Amino acid sequence: MTVKPKPEELNKTEEINRAIDLFNRAHFFDAHEVLEDLWRSVAQDRPLRRHLQGMVQVAVAFHHQSTGNHVGARSVLERAIHNLNGADNSFPEIDLDQLHADLAPWRHYLDHCGSMLDVRDGLQNNDVKRAKRKGVPDDIRDDAPPLPKIILRQ
C-alpha cells in the first residue's frame, strides 16, 4: 500500500511510504529513523510535528518490545498514543482508527509485563502454575498480541 502524493509533498509522501513499509515488515528501528528525519524537517508545523512524533514513538515502542524492553515499550507507547490524538488531519490516508484498535491489546499486554518479568523463567519453561501464583492474568501469560500494521484507508 502506498499513499498517493500531492506534487508539493512528494518527498514527504515517499518517506512516509518507506516508513510504513519498514514498520509493517517489523523493521521498527529503521522505520523510526525515517520518521524521525521527517519529524525534524517539519519544525514549523506544530500539529504535524506532534503527530509525526507519535508515529516515531510507535516505532520506538515496538523496537523496545522486540528487544525485550517491555517497560520502555509501555512508556513510549503511552506517549505515542497521546501524540497521535487528532492526527487524522495530518495523516488522512492512514487508518488511525485501526492503528489505535491494534495498539489497545498491546497497551494491556505491556501494562502486565511488569508482573511477567518476575516469572519470565517460568513462562519460558511453560510453568503456568508459577505464573498463576504470581498473579499474571491468563491472557498475558499467552503469546503477545499480533504486531500492529499501519494501513491506509480504503
Side-chain angles (χ1 to χ4, degrees), residues 87-150:
D88 289 332
N89 290 334
S90 295
F91 304 117
E93 66 280 353
I94 296 175
D95 189 340
L96 292 168
D97 292 335
Q98 184 61 53
L99 181 59
H100 281 287
D102 289 350
L103 295 178
W106 276 98
R107 289 176 83 182
H108 180 70
Y109 176 79
L110 292 170
D111 281 346
H112 292 88
C113 279
S115 300
M116 284 178 54
L117 294 177
D118 293 338
V119 295
R120 174 176 240 152
D121 292 334
L123 291 173
Q124 288 175 348
N125 296 320
N126 230 2
D127 186 358
V128 175
K129 289 180 185 176
R130 184 170 176 213
K132 284 183 179 179
R133 282 197 311 269
K134 291 286 189 174
V136 179
D138 289 340
D139 60 332
I140 299 302
R141 286 193 306 268
D142 296 332
D143 291 338
L147 291 174
K149 300 287 185 196
I150 300 173

Side-chain angles (χ1 to χ4, degrees), residues 8-19:
E8 67 275 9
E9 297 179 345
L10 185 60
N11 190 43
K12 180 179 106 175
T13 301
E14 288 174 357
E15 292 303 295
I16 288 174
N17 285 332
R18 186 168 157 237

Side-chain angles (χ1 to χ4, degrees), residues 23 28 32 55-65 72-73 76:
F23 184 91
F28 302 119
H32 134 268
M55 295 296 282
V56 168
Q57 290 167 325
V58 169
V60 169
F62 283 93
H63 172 68
H64 283 321
Q65 184 279 329
V76 175

